[in-house]
Amino acid sequence: MTFSHITAEYRCTKCDGARSEHASTLSIPYVITAFIGTIFLSAVLLRTPWNFPWYYFFCIFAGEFLALFIAGLPLSFFFIGGSIVRKCPNCGAAMTLRGRHFTKTEKPRWSDSLLLVFFVAINVVAFIILHQHT
């Protein structure tokens, strides 16, 4: 299983300094994690007292993708980003964006791990809240 990222490449305008920034995209490990979360939440919602019909499984699966999106919001707002003008780590001059491309890695980056931790926390809270109402 590989993790997919959008990589932005930056180059310094004065020296040969380079910098890359990575942003996570939807990849197979996230889909598998959302499917596992769907199974756990369906075990609660398809039984009494909720008694949702079987086809609500697909709605729960869509809700898990929404939970993945919500888990990614703190990463976007607090950890990734910063100034629009990137500074060169070598000389401090402005850097220019040279392009973006998709990359794949076998090992997750720290942002992938943090996203999965946030997603699991959201699912645990939802499961506890729903299980208390049964």
Side-chain angles (χ1 to χ4, degrees):
M1 287 190 297
T2 60
F3 290 88
S4 179
H5 300 94
I6 297 174
T7 303
E9 303 289 342
Y10 293 93
R11 289 277 183 200
C12 180
T13 55
K14 290 187 178 178
C15 67
D16 285 335
R19 181 176 167 184
S20 297
E21 293 182 1
H22 307 281
S24 297
T25 60
L26 186 64
S27 53
I28 298 297
Y30 296 129
V31 174
I32 291 171
T33 307
F35 187 74
I36 291 170
T38 302
I39 291 172
F40 285 119
L41 285 177
S42 294
V44 173
L45 292 174
L46 299 180
R47 296 183 306 156
T48 56
W50 302 100
N51 289 333
F52 288 150
W54 65 270
Y55 50 84
Y56 272 53
F57 180 83
F58 301 109
C59 297
I60 297 168
F61 192 49
E64 289 295 318
F65 281 120
L66 183 61
L68 266 173
F69 175 76
I70 292 170
L73 286 177
L75 287 174
S76 299
F77 291 135
F78 299 119
F79 299 113
I80 300 172
S83 174
I84 294 174
V85 177
R86 305 292 193 257
K87 300 280 184 183
C88 178
N90 298 335
C91 65
M95 299 182 81
T96 58
L97 176 65
R98 296 297 171 106
R100 291 188 173 122
H101 56 89
F102 287 101
T103 56
K104 294 188 180 225
T105 58
E106 293 292 326
K107 294 181 180 179
R109 298 186 186 278
W110 67 270
S111 60
D112 294 323
S113 301
L114 199 56
L115 177 68
L116 289 174
V117 166
F118 287 161
F119 177 69
V120 168
I122 288 171
N123 274 310
V124 166
V125 168
F127 184 77
I128 289 171
I129 289 171
L130 288 173
H131 197 43
Q132 286 179 350
H133 291 280
T134 57

